[in-house]
Amino acid sequence: MNKIGIIGSGTMGSGIAQVAATSGCKVKVYDTNQDALNKSKVALEKVLLRLIEKERIDETEKNRIQDNISYVNSLKDLADSNLTIEAIVENLEIKKKVFSELESYVSAETIIASNTSSLSIASIASSLQKPERCVGIHFFNPAPLMALVEVIPAIQTSQKVFEKAVSTIKSWNKTVAVAKDTPGFIVNRVARPYYGESLRIYEEGIADFATIDWSLKTIGGFRMGPFELMDFIGNDINYTVTKTVFKTFYYDSRFRPSFTQQRLAEAGYLGRKTGKGYYDYDENGRVILNESEESHNSELAEQIFNRVLVMLINEAADALFLNIASAEDIDKAMTKGVNYPKGLLAWADEKGMDWCVDSIDELYNEYHEERYRCSPLLRKMKRENKTFF
Ligand code: NAI
């Protein structure tokens, strides 16, 4: 798999091209927009210069990486690829059209992959004459820095294609987690309560954004609090992902989006990129707000942290219960894909199944909402006195 075609030279396509080229593959990057191709090239130059500054690579290595990448104007130019990875706009109809055209140029052996975050791989694969050659290969942003890649076989994907995809991604020095073709795969499903439950805590008036962020960082050891993180990702993007997951789970209340975030997105308070989100930012991207008084109330912080953590554990356990991925891959996905300080299932073991079940039941008894239903797996493990690892 040394000839790689990348379709779409935006944030993700550019990052994936850099990863493959660094590993010695010959990469062709295609985009319909010439401007996007130019930007991708300029961005790579900047990234590599910064790596030289940090003494992580030398000039020879920079030239080697750049020589491995060419930028092309026609989809036809990807004809000799062994593997193509599509990272264009998140629109099923457009992706299907591109896949179908691409298939008419490439050889029968070419693997055609998508980096989609929210569409089903089965639906994308259905656009191909040979759907068994299609697989989901989902990188995280920024692709060169994030170790995790989720590999998602569709129901049509052949075992050979799946295995080839896994071995190729591993040869690019990435950590693979295998996920079932279900909404949000692993990370974007299991991480939902980090945002959703934090928003709910805020909406109930229990604490402000800064207090909740402080709790998760100080007590939980998370690198960024949920509100900081949503501002970083962009409230438009994070809200859209939540909405898509909610809809594709047939409106399961566990994934219900929040009006607070919807209003922010509607108002254009998108976070860092607009200078205003949950927080206000100065021109250097630093938060202007002072830390709240409440952030020093450690009892409240502990309660907030425990509530968000148990909701995350419940989601991770339920993903395992429904065979979305193995316990190892679920924990790997959250530590390597979104930098959680610990795997959630290992965290459940540490806290104990009694604590997990009792904490979630307490929430259910308080609210009587489906959102707070305990995963049957946690209950079973408590009953049988088991641990995940
Ligand atoms: P982006 O907007 O930065 O880049 C998309 C690029 O695709 C643009 O340069 C656009 O000109 C090009 N494009 C659009 N239609 C095209 C077509 N028909 N043929 C060729 N090129 C076309 O988008 P981004 O963020 O890189 O996302 C791309 C894909 O990766 C989406 O499916 C997204 O869901 C997924 N993804 C995004 C992540 C993120 O954090 N941004 C993380 C993981 C996956």
Side-chain angles (χ1 to χ4, degrees), residues 58-82:
D58 58 16
E59 190 69 31
T60 318
E61 175 68 353
K62 173 177 174 282
N63 292 337
R64 187 187 68 87
I65 295 169
Q66 282 173 314
D67 288 346
N68 278 344
I69 306 186
S70 54
Y71 299 86
V72 301
N73 294 306
S74 159
L75 199 53
K76 242 186 211 163
D77 291 330
L78 305 186
D80 64 348
S81 308
N82 311 120

PDB file of all heavy atoms in Angstrom, residues 58-82:
ATOM      1  N   ASP A  58      14.961  17.154  10.132  1.00  0.00           N
ATOM      2  CA  ASP A  58      15.941  18.053   9.501  1.00  0.00           C
ATOM      3  C   ASP A  58      15.471  18.387   8.084  1.00  0.00           C
ATOM      4  O   ASP A  58      14.428  17.898   7.631  1.00  0.00           O
ATOM      5  CB  ASP A  58      17.341  17.421   9.513  1.00  0.00           C
ATOM      6  CG  ASP A  58      17.389  16.083   8.799  1.00  0.00           C
ATOM      7  OD1 ASP A  58      16.442  15.774   8.037  1.00  0.00           O
ATOM      8  OD2 ASP A  58      18.366  15.333   8.991  1.00  0.00           O
ATOM      9  N   GLU A  59      16.256  19.200   7.400  1.00  0.00           N
ATOM     10  CA  GLU A  59      15.905  19.671   6.061  1.00  0.00           C
ATOM     11  C   GLU A  59      15.707  18.494   5.076  1.00  0.00           C
ATOM     12  O   GLU A  59      14.776  18.509   4.257  1.00  0.00           O
ATOM     13  CB  GLU A  59      17.049  20.596   5.578  1.00  0.00           C
ATOM     14  CG  GLU A  59      16.781  21.380   4.321  1.00  0.00           C
ATOM     15  CD  GLU A  59      15.726  22.485   4.473  1.00  0.00           C
ATOM     16  OE1 GLU A  59      15.608  23.048   5.578  1.00  0.00           O
ATOM     17  OE2 GLU A  59      15.026  22.757   3.484  1.00  0.00           O
ATOM     18  N   THR A  60      16.550  17.483   5.207  1.00  0.00           N
ATOM     19  CA  THR A  60      16.459  16.316   4.318  1.00  0.00           C
ATOM     20  C   THR A  60      15.114  15.617   4.496  1.00  0.00           C
ATOM     21  O   THR A  60      14.456  15.230   3.528  1.00  0.00           O
ATOM     22  CB  THR A  60      17.595  15.304   4.644  1.00  0.00           C
ATOM     23  OG1 THR A  60      18.787  16.033   4.855  1.00  0.00           O
ATOM     24  CG2 THR A  60      17.756  14.267   3.576  1.00  0.00           C
ATOM     25  N   GLU A  61      14.733  15.468   5.753  1.00  0.00           N
ATOM     26  CA  GLU A  61      13.459  14.808   6.054  1.00  0.00           C
ATOM     27  C   GLU A  61      12.286  15.642   5.525  1.00  0.00           C
ATOM     28  O   GLU A  61      11.333  15.111   4.951  1.00  0.00           O
ATOM     29  CB  GLU A  61      13.351  14.597   7.580  1.00  0.00           C
ATOM     30  CG  GLU A  61      12.040  14.035   8.083  1.00  0.00           C
ATOM     31  CD  GLU A  61      11.758  12.588   7.678  1.00  0.00           C
ATOM     32  OE1 GLU A  61      12.530  12.038   6.876  1.00  0.00           O
ATOM     33  OE2 GLU A  61      10.738  12.043   8.136  1.00  0.00           O
ATOM     34  N   LYS A  62      12.404  16.943   5.681  1.00  0.00           N
ATOM     35  CA  LYS A  62      11.357  17.852   5.169  1.00  0.00           C
ATOM     36  C   LYS A  62      11.208  17.663   3.657  1.00  0.00           C
ATOM     37  O   LYS A  62      10.094  17.493   3.141  1.00  0.00           O
ATOM     38  CB  LYS A  62      11.717  19.301   5.501  1.00  0.00           C
ATOM     39  CG  LYS A  62      10.802  20.332   4.872  1.00  0.00           C
ATOM     40  CD  LYS A  62      11.177  21.743   5.320  1.00  0.00           C
ATOM     41  CE  LYS A  62      10.376  22.805   4.603  1.00  0.00           C
ATOM     42  NZ  LYS A  62      10.838  23.086   3.245  1.00  0.00           N
ATOM     43  N   ASN A  63      12.338  17.646   2.967  1.00  0.00           N
ATOM     44  CA  ASN A  63      12.294  17.478   1.505  1.00  0.00           C
ATOM     45  C   ASN A  63      11.729  16.117   1.114  1.00  0.00           C
ATOM     46  O   ASN A  63      10.971  16.010   0.161  1.00  0.00           O
ATOM     47  CB  ASN A  63      13.698  17.639   0.905  1.00  0.00           C
ATOM     48  CG  ASN A  63      14.187  19.070   1.047  1.00  0.00           C
ATOM     49  OD1 ASN A  63      13.373  19.991   1.186  1.00  0.00           O
ATOM     50  ND2 ASN A  63      15.497  19.264   1.040  1.00  0.00           N
ATOM     51  N   ARG A  64      12.106  15.105   1.891  1.00  0.00           N
ATOM     52  CA  ARG A  64      11.614  13.756   1.597  1.00  0.00           C
ATOM     53  C   ARG A  64      10.081  13.710   1.702  1.00  0.00           C
ATOM     54  O   ARG A  64       9.395  13.203   0.813  1.00  0.00           O
ATOM     55  CB  ARG A  64      12.233  12.747   2.582  1.00  0.00           C
ATOM     56  CG  ARG A  64      11.918  11.289   2.276  1.00  0.00           C
ATOM     57  CD  ARG A  64      12.410  10.363   3.389  1.00  0.00           C
ATOM     58  NE  ARG A  64      11.663  10.526   4.634  1.00  0.00           N
ATOM     59  CZ  ARG A  64      10.530   9.884   4.927  1.00  0.00           C
ATOM     60  NH1 ARG A  64      10.014   9.032   4.068  1.00  0.00           N
ATOM     61  NH2 ARG A  64       9.917  10.087   6.081  1.00  0.00           N
ATOM     62  N   ILE A  65       9.565  14.285   2.779  1.00  0.00           N
ATOM     63  CA  ILE A  65       8.102  14.283   2.984  1.00  0.00           C
ATOM     64  C   ILE A  65       7.419  15.050   1.845  1.00  0.00           C
ATOM     65  O   ILE A  65       6.460  14.570   1.231  1.00  0.00           O
ATOM     66  CB  ILE A  65       7.729  14.884   4.365  1.00  0.00           C
ATOM     67  CG1 ILE A  65       8.281  13.994   5.491  1.00  0.00           C
ATOM     68  CG2 ILE A  65       6.216  15.054   4.500  1.00  0.00           C
ATOM     69  CD1 ILE A  65       8.215  14.601   6.887  1.00  0.00           C
ATOM     70  N   GLN A  66       7.960  16.237   1.543  1.00  0.00           N
ATOM     71  CA  GLN A  66       7.328  17.059   0.492  1.00  0.00           C
ATOM     72  C   GLN A  66       7.425  16.396  -0.886  1.00  0.00           C
ATOM     73  O   GLN A  66       6.486  16.468  -1.672  1.00  0.00           O
ATOM     74  CB  GLN A  66       7.937  18.456   0.479  1.00  0.00           C
ATOM     75  CG  GLN A  66       7.369  19.295   1.622  1.00  0.00           C
ATOM     76  CD  GLN A  66       8.035  20.635   1.785  1.00  0.00           C
ATOM     77  OE1 GLN A  66       9.268  20.715   1.761  1.00  0.00           O
ATOM     78  NE2 GLN A  66       7.257  21.677   1.974  1.00  0.00           N
ATOM     79  N   ASP A  67       8.546  15.732  -1.137  1.00  0.00           N
ATOM     80  CA  ASP A  67       8.699  15.051  -2.434  1.00  0.00           C
ATOM     81  C   ASP A  67       7.720  13.887  -2.579  1.00  0.00           C
ATOM     82  O   ASP A  67       7.413  13.456  -3.689  1.00  0.00           O
ATOM     83  CB  ASP A  67      10.139  14.525  -2.610  1.00  0.00           C
ATOM     84  CG  ASP A  67      11.111  15.668  -2.849  1.00  0.00           C
ATOM     85  OD1 ASP A  67      10.632  16.791  -3.139  1.00  0.00           O
ATOM     86  OD2 ASP A  67      12.334  15.448  -2.735  1.00  0.00           O
ATOM     87  N   ASN A  68       7.284  13.375  -1.438  1.00  0.00           N
ATOM     88  CA  ASN A  68       6.338  12.242  -1.486  1.00  0.00           C
ATOM     89  C   ASN A  68       4.908  12.693  -1.801  1.00  0.00           C
ATOM     90  O   ASN A  68       4.031  11.869  -2.013  1.00  0.00           O
ATOM     91  CB  ASN A  68       6.338  11.499  -0.143  1.00  0.00           C
ATOM     92  CG  ASN A  68       7.485  10.515  -0.043  1.00  0.00           C
ATOM     93  OD1 ASN A  68       8.091  10.169  -1.057  1.00  0.00           O
ATOM     94  ND2 ASN A  68       7.783  10.068   1.169  1.00  0.00           N
ATOM     95  N   ILE A  69       4.656  13.991  -1.766  1.00  0.00           N
ATOM     96  CA  ILE A  69       3.282  14.472  -1.990  1.00  0.00           C
ATOM     97  C   ILE A  69       3.182  15.257  -3.284  1.00  0.00           C
ATOM     98  O   ILE A  69       3.986  16.163  -3.542  1.00  0.00           O
ATOM     99  CB  ILE A  69       2.799  15.383  -0.830  1.00  0.00           C
ATOM    100  CG1 ILE A  69       2.965  14.671   0.522  1.00  0.00           C
ATOM    101  CG2 ILE A  69       1.346  15.800  -1.043  1.00  0.00           C
ATOM    102  CD1 ILE A  69       2.384  15.420   1.706  1.00  0.00           C
ATOM    103  N   SER A  70       2.183  14.905  -4.114  1.00  0.00           N
ATOM    104  CA  SER A  70       1.894  15.767  -5.257  1.00  0.00           C
ATOM    105  C   SER A  70       0.420  16.177  -5.189  1.00  0.00           C
ATOM    106  O   SER A  70      -0.408  15.484  -4.584  1.00  0.00           O
ATOM    107  CB  SER A  70       2.223  15.065  -6.570  1.00  0.00           C
ATOM    108  OG  SER A  70       1.563  13.831  -6.626  1.00  0.00           O
ATOM    109  N   TYR A  71       0.130  17.319  -5.788  1.00  0.00           N
ATOM    110  CA  TYR A  71      -1.221  17.881  -5.719  1.00  0.00           C
ATOM    111  C   TYR A  71      -1.823  17.834  -7.113  1.00  0.00           C
ATOM    112  O   TYR A  71      -1.197  18.322  -8.072  1.00  0.00           O
ATOM    113  CB  TYR A  71      -1.148  19.317  -5.183  1.00  0.00           C
ATOM    114  CG  TYR A  71      -0.568  19.352  -3.782  1.00  0.00           C
ATOM    115  CD1 TYR A  71       0.825  19.391  -3.583  1.00  0.00           C
ATOM    116  CD2 TYR A  71      -1.375  19.294  -2.655  1.00  0.00           C
ATOM    117  CE1 TYR A  71       1.372  19.382  -2.300  1.00  0.00           C
ATOM    118  CE2 TYR A  71      -0.845  19.287  -1.371  1.00  0.00           C
ATOM    119  CZ  TYR A  71       0.538  19.333  -1.197  1.00  0.00           C
ATOM    120  OH  TYR A  71       1.059  19.316   0.062  1.00  0.00           O
ATOM    121  N   VAL A  72      -2.990  17.209  -7.243  1.00  0.00           N
ATOM    122  CA  VAL A  72      -3.547  16.981  -8.584  1.00  0.00           C
ATOM    123  C   VAL A  72      -4.935  17.596  -8.741  1.00  0.00           C
ATOM    124  O   VAL A  72      -5.651  17.803  -7.755  1.00  0.00           O
ATOM    125  CB  VAL A  72      -3.581  15.468  -8.916  1.00  0.00           C
ATOM    126  CG1 VAL A  72      -2.192  14.853  -8.857  1.00  0.00           C
ATOM    127  CG2 VAL A  72      -4.538  14.719  -7.988  1.00  0.00           C
ATOM    128  N   ASN A  73      -5.268  17.884 -10.010  1.00  0.00           N
ATOM    129  CA  ASN A  73      -6.518  18.581 -10.284  1.00  0.00           C
ATOM    130  C   ASN A  73      -7.645  17.688 -10.781  1.00  0.00           C
ATOM    131  O   ASN A  73      -8.749  18.152 -11.010  1.00  0.00           O
ATOM    132  CB  ASN A  73      -6.292  19.637 -11.371  1.00  0.00           C
ATOM    133  CG  ASN A  73      -5.384  20.720 -10.866  1.00  0.00           C
ATOM    134  OD1 ASN A  73      -5.662  21.296  -9.818  1.00  0.00           O
ATOM    135  ND2 ASN A  73      -4.291  20.971 -11.588  1.00  0.00           N
ATOM    136  N   SER A  74      -7.320  16.423 -10.984  1.00  0.00           N
ATOM    137  CA  SER A  74      -8.362  15.556 -11.526  1.00  0.00           C
ATOM    138  C   SER A  74      -8.422  14.257 -10.735  1.00  0.00           C
ATOM    139  O   SER A  74      -7.391  13.696 -10.339  1.00  0.00           O
ATOM    140  CB  SER A  74      -8.037  15.271 -13.008  1.00  0.00           C
ATOM    141  OG  SER A  74      -8.711  14.107 -13.414  1.00  0.00           O
ATOM    142  N   LEU A  75      -9.631  13.782 -10.514  1.00  0.00           N
ATOM    143  CA  LEU A  75      -9.846  12.539  -9.781  1.00  0.00           C
ATOM    144  C   LEU A  75      -9.170  11.374 -10.524  1.00  0.00           C
ATOM    145  O   LEU A  75      -8.689  10.421  -9.908  1.00  0.00           O
ATOM    146  CB  LEU A  75     -11.362  12.291  -9.654  1.00  0.00           C
ATOM    147  CG  LEU A  75     -11.854  11.321  -8.590  1.00  0.00           C
ATOM    148  CD1 LEU A  75     -11.320  11.652  -7.207  1.00  0.00           C
ATOM    149  CD2 LEU A  75     -13.376  11.289  -8.566  1.00  0.00           C
ATOM    150  N   LYS A  76      -9.130  11.501 -11.837  1.00  0.00           N
ATOM    151  CA  LYS A  76      -8.497  10.493 -12.692  1.00  0.00           C
ATOM    152  C   LYS A  76      -7.029  10.256 -12.320  1.00  0.00           C
ATOM    153  O   LYS A  76      -6.499   9.168 -12.495  1.00  0.00           O
ATOM    154  CB  LYS A  76      -8.540  10.974 -14.143  1.00  0.00           C
ATOM    155  CG  LYS A  76      -9.332  10.088 -15.059  1.00  0.00           C
ATOM    156  CD  LYS A  76      -9.192  10.567 -16.475  1.00  0.00           C
ATOM    157  CE  LYS A  76     -10.478  10.230 -17.212  1.00  0.00           C
ATOM    158  NZ  LYS A  76     -10.644  10.956 -18.443  1.00  0.00           N
ATOM    159  N   ASP A  77      -6.385  11.323 -11.830  1.00  0.00           N
ATOM    160  CA  ASP A  77      -4.970  11.214 -11.472  1.00  0.00           C
ATOM    161  C   ASP A  77      -4.733  10.230 -10.324  1.00  0.00           C
ATOM    162  O   ASP A  77      -3.600   9.849 -10.054  1.00  0.00           O
ATOM    163  CB  ASP A  77      -4.407  12.592 -11.082  1.00  0.00           C
ATOM    164  CG  ASP A  77      -4.331  13.515 -12.293  1.00  0.00           C
ATOM    165  OD1 ASP A  77      -4.139  13.001 -13.411  1.00  0.00           O
ATOM    166  OD2 ASP A  77      -4.490  14.732 -12.112  1.00  0.00           O
ATOM    167  N   LEU A  78      -5.806   9.851  -9.613  1.00  0.00           N
ATOM    168  CA  LEU A  78      -5.649   8.903  -8.497  1.00  0.00           C
ATOM    169  C   LEU A  78      -5.754   7.452  -8.969  1.00  0.00           C
ATOM    170  O   LEU A  78      -5.766   6.522  -8.161  1.00  0.00           O
ATOM    171  CB  LEU A  78      -6.697   9.162  -7.411  1.00  0.00           C
ATOM    172  CG  LEU A  78      -6.771  10.574  -6.828  1.00  0.00           C
ATOM    173  CD1 LEU A  78      -7.746  10.615  -5.666  1.00  0.00           C
ATOM    174  CD2 LEU A  78      -5.400  11.062  -6.360  1.00  0.00           C
ATOM    175  N   ALA A  79      -5.833   7.261 -10.295  1.00  0.00           N
ATOM    176  CA  ALA A  79      -6.091   5.935 -10.882  1.00  0.00           C
ATOM    177  C   ALA A  79      -5.137   4.844 -10.404  1.00  0.00           C
ATOM    178  O   ALA A  79      -5.538   3.700 -10.229  1.00  0.00           O
ATOM    179  CB  ALA A  79      -6.057   6.026 -12.402  1.00  0.00           C
ATOM    180  N   ASP A  80      -3.854   5.189 -10.169  1.00  0.00           N
ATOM    181  CA  ASP A  80      -2.894   4.135  -9.795  1.00  0.00           C
ATOM    182  C   ASP A  80      -2.771   3.936  -8.280  1.00  0.00           C
ATOM    183  O   ASP A  80      -1.862   3.253  -7.816  1.00  0.00           O
ATOM    184  CB  ASP A  80      -1.518   4.446 -10.414  1.00  0.00           C
ATOM    185  CG  ASP A  80      -0.921   5.726  -9.852  1.00  0.00           C
ATOM    186  OD1 ASP A  80      -1.661   6.480  -9.165  1.00  0.00           O
ATOM    187  OD2 ASP A  80       0.275   5.991 -10.091  1.00  0.00           O
ATOM    188  N   SER A  81      -3.692   4.487  -7.510  1.00  0.00           N
ATOM    189  CA  SER A  81      -3.606   4.353  -6.040  1.00  0.00           C
ATOM    190  C   SER A  81      -3.928   2.926  -5.593  1.00  0.00           C
ATOM    191  O   SER A  81      -4.785   2.266  -6.172  1.00  0.00           O
ATOM    192  CB  SER A  81      -4.622   5.274  -5.353  1.00  0.00           C
ATOM    193  OG  SER A  81      -4.518   6.586  -5.823  1.00  0.00           O
ATOM    194  N   ASN A  82      -3.218   2.467  -4.522  1.00  0.00           N
ATOM    195  CA  ASN A  82      -3.592   1.192  -3.888  1.00  0.00           C
ATOM    196  C   ASN A  82      -4.699   1.437  -2.862  1.00  0.00           C
ATOM    197  O   ASN A  82      -5.516   0.569  -2.588  1.00  0.00           O
ATOM    198  CB  ASN A  82      -2.425   0.569  -3.115  1.00  0.00           C
ATOM    199  CG  ASN A  82      -1.155   0.524  -3.913  1.00  0.00           C
ATOM    200  OD1 ASN A  82      -0.152   1.101  -3.514  1.00  0.00           O
ATOM    201  ND2 ASN A  82      -1.199  -0.154  -5.045  1.00  0.00           N
TER     202      ASN A  82
END
